[in-house]
């Protein structure tokens, strides 16, 4: 217990001085190190501040340059977009013209096809493939070709209107400016093409329409001329029928007129055959009576032969009359189809510029 409570050892005075000097020296080193660190830190802070300011200045300049570039491209795109919007509106107008032109082709096509159907109702020899048939078939072909061309152009126009949508220009870049120029040029080229197509097709349809009308008018004139000639021949046949009927009546009257003399001559011959004995001889009177009977019989035969020929000719004339009347009806039917059904219906068609 006495050892545990023993007092700590005491240092010597030199040791005390050494220990204090050591503390002074360590403290001075630590302080000098700290001062150097403070100075280094201040230098670093100053350097970083300068670097930051310089970097910020560069960034600000880059941002300003970028903003200027963006403003430039935005203006370029806005200008191009404005041009595209205007061209799109024009293209919509062309599309409307195409739709109207397409619609305006449907009725003429129906009418041309209907005319061909009507002309199939011609009968007899008038059911002929003539110039009007040829031009009507050509008109149908032209109209179908125009409709097909307009439909293809409509599809191309619709595709172009998709490719110039405003939504395509949300990114501001040189690529979009070039694309805008390309699309605008495509639109202008398409508009020029549509103009040419509409102008050419309208001219083609108008020309073919007039050609068909002229062919129908010429055919109507030809048919009317043929009908008039048939009517003239019919009138002549009717006159000839009347003449032949009078001829037959005259022949019958002549035959009837010869029956009396024939009976008288026959009766005389019969009576003279009853003469008695030697009186029953062939005298001059007998020969005259025989000659008279033979002559009258021959003449009646000739008259009957002529009557048979006249009656046969009358039948032929009657058949010819019926044939001419039927043919005139055929011509009247053809004239009605071409002049009333076809030409009148075609008057409703107006081929104006598309």
């Amino acid at each position: 217990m006495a050892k545990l409570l023993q007092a700590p050892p005491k240092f010597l005075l030199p040791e005390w001085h050494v220990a204090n000097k050591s503390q002074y020296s360590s403290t001075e080193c630590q302080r000098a190190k700290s001062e150097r660190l403070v100075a280094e830190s201040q230098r670093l802070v100053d350097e970083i501040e300068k670097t930051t300011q310089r970097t910020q200045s560069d960034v600000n300049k880059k941002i300003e340059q970028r903003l200027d570039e963006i403003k430039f491209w935005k203006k370029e795109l806005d200008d191009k977009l404005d041009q595209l919007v205007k061209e799109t509106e024009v293209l919509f107008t062309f599309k409307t013209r195409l739709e109207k032109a397409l619609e305006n082709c449907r009725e003429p096509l129906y009418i041309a096809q209907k005319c061909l159907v009507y002309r199939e109702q011609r009968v007899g020899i008038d059911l002929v493939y003539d110039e009007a048939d040829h031009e009507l078939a050509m008109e149908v072909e032209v109209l179908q070709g125009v409709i097909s061309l307009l439909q293809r152009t409509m599809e191309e126009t619709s595709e172009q209107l998709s490719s110039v949508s405003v939504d395509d220009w949300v990114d501001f870049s040189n690529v979009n400016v070039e694309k805008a120029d390309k699309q605008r040029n495509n639109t202008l080229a398409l508009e020029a093409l549509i103009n040419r197509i509409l102008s050419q097709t309208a001219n083609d349809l108008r020309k073919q329409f007039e050609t068909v009308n002229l062919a129908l008018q010429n055919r109507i004139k030809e048919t009317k001329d043929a009908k008039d000639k048939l009517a003239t021949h019919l009138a002549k046949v009717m006159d000839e029928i009347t003449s032949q009927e009078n001829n037959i009546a005259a022949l019958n009257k002549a035959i009837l007129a010869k029956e009396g003399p024939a009976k008288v001559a026959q009766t005389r011959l019969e009576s003279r055959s009853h003469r008695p004995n030697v009186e029953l001889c062939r005298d001059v009177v007998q020969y005259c009576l025989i000659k008279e009977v033979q002559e009258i019989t021959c003449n009646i035969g000739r008259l009957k032969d002529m009557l048979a020929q006249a009656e046969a000719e009358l039948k032929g004339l009657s058949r010819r009359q019926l044939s001419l009347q039927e043919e005139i009806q055929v011509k009247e039917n053809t004239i009605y189809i071409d002049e009333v059904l076809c030409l009148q219906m075609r008057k409703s068609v107006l081929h104006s510029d598309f």
Side-chain angles (χ1 to χ4, degrees):
M1 180 64 73
K3 290 181 179 180
L4 291 174
L5 296 175
Q6 186 176 359
K10 291 184 179 181
F11 293 96
L12 296 177
L13 185 61
E15 291 177 336
W16 179 82
H17 287 292
V18 170
N20 286 332
K21 287 181 180 180
S22 177
Q23 285 291 342
Y24 300 153
S25 177
S26 296
T27 300
E28 188 63 25
C29 288
Q30 188 70 42
R31 187 185 62 78
K33 183 179 180 181
S34 177
E35 287 179 352
R36 288 194 301 272
L37 182 61
V38 170
E40 183 66 23
S41 296
Q42 186 61 45
R43 185 192 64 77
L44 180 62
V45 168
D46 293 341
E47 180 184 344
I48 290 176
E49 178 64 22
K50 291 179 181 179
T51 301
T52 300
Q53 290 178 356
R54 184 171 60 252
T55 302
Q56 284 182 343
S57 176
D58 291 340
V59 169
N60 288 338
K61 288 180 180 179
K62 296 295 183 183
I63 290 176
E64 289 176 358
Q65 291 176 355
R66 186 57 178 163
L67 284 174
D68 290 340
E69 289 178 357
I70 292 174
K71 288 178 181 180
F72 171 79
W73 289 119
K74 182 179 183 301
K75 184 178 182 304
E76 287 290 306
L77 286 169
D78 286 342
D79 293 342
K80 299 301 180 183
L81 184 58
D82 184 61
Q83 292 175 355
L84 283 174
V85 169
K86 291 178 180 178
E87 292 301 332
T88 301
E89 292 174 353
V90 173
L91 198 56
F92 268 114
T93 302
F94 276 102
K95 183 181 179 184
T96 302
R97 288 176 62 190
L98 284 170
E99 291 171 346
K100 184 179 178 182
L102 193 59
E103 186 62 30
N104 288 345
C105 286
R106 300 193 187 280
E107 183 183 5
L109 177 60
Y110 169 80
I111 288 176
Q113 292 172 331
K114 192 70 174 177
C115 286
L116 286 173
V117 172
Y118 279 145
R119 299 196 92 236
E120 289 298 315
Q121 298 173 13
R122 294 172 294 167
V123 294
I125 193 62
D126 272 29
L127 187 56
V128 61
Y129 183 77
D130 53 15
E131 187 68 18
D133 265 347
H134 172 75
E135 293 301 339
L136 276 169
M138 181 65 69
E139 184 176 40
V140 169
E141 183 178 342
V142 169
L143 280 163
Q144 289 174 338
V146 167
I147 288 174
S148 177
L149 176 61
L150 291 177
Q151 286 174 337
R152 291 197 304 271
T153 309
M154 277 277 293
E155 293 172 1
E156 186 176 348
T157 303
S158 297
E159 291 175 3
Q160 182 66 18
L161 288 169
S162 295
S163 63
V164 295
S165 171
V166 175
D167 295 336
D168 291 341
W169 309 111
V170 293
D171 297 326
F172 302 133
S173 66
N174 184 41
V175 173
N176 276 339
V177 172
E178 294 177 354
K179 187 177 179 182
D181 284 333
K182 181 179 179 181
Q183 294 298 345
R184 182 170 179 270
N185 291 334
N186 290 343
T187 300
L188 291 173
L190 181 58
E191 290 170 1
L193 175 63
I194 293 172
N195 249 335
R196 290 196 300 272
I197 288 175
L198 291 175
S199 177
Q200 186 62 50
T201 53
N203 289 335
D204 290 345
L205 292 178
R206 189 182 300 109
K207 180 180 179 181
Q208 186 59 35
F209 181 79
E210 293 170 354
T211 301
V212 170
N213 284 351
L214 181 60
L216 282 171
Q217 290 165 358
N218 290 337
R219 190 58 180 161
I220 290 169
K221 184 179 183 302
E222 290 176 353
T223 307
K224 285 183 175 180
D225 290 342
K227 174 178 171 287
D228 292 341
K229 290 179 181 178
L230 289 170
T232 300
H233 284 289
L234 178 60
K236 292 179 180 179
V237 168
M238 295 299 294
D239 290 341
E240 192 59 32
I241 287 175
T242 300
S243 176
Q244 199 60 254
E245 287 174 343
N246 292 335
N247 182 46
I248 290 172
L251 288 171
N252 280 322
K253 183 178 180 180
I255 292 171
L256 184 61
K258 295 298 177 288
E259 289 179 355
K263 287 181 180 180
V264 170
Q266 290 286 353
T267 300
R268 285 176 176 176
L269 278 175
E270 176 63 23
S271 297
R272 295 191 90 240
S273 68
H274 297 294
R275 288 175 295 165
N277 299 324
V278 73
E279 292 296 326
L280 187 61
C281 66
R282 290 181 177 273
D283 54 11
V284 175
V285 173
Q286 185 72 12
Y287 284 114
C288 287
L289 284 172
I290 291 172
K291 182 181 179 182
E292 182 183 17
V293 169
Q294 290 176 343
E295 186 179 271
I296 292 174
T297 301
C298 178
N299 287 334
I300 289 175
R302 289 171 62 194
L303 287 172
K304 286 184 176 179
D305 287 342
M306 186 61 70
L307 177 62
Q309 292 180 30
E311 288 175 340
E313 191 64 28
L314 181 61
K315 289 181 180 178
L317 288 170
S318 297
R319 287 194 297 271
R320 180 54 53 193
Q321 173 193 353
L322 181 60
S323 175
L324 288 171
Q325 288 173 337
E326 289 176 348
E327 194 61 28
I328 288 173
Q329 289 179 346
V330 168
K331 296 295 184 284
E332 288 174 344
N333 177 65
T334 300
I335 293 169
Y336 175 75
I337 289 172
D338 286 347
E339 189 171 38
V340 177
L341 295 182
C342 293
L343 272 186
Q344 288 297 325
M345 181 170 59
R346 293 174 66 82
K347 286 183 178 179
S348 63
V349 178
L350 297 176
H351 280 294
S352 57
D353 292 335
F354 293 142

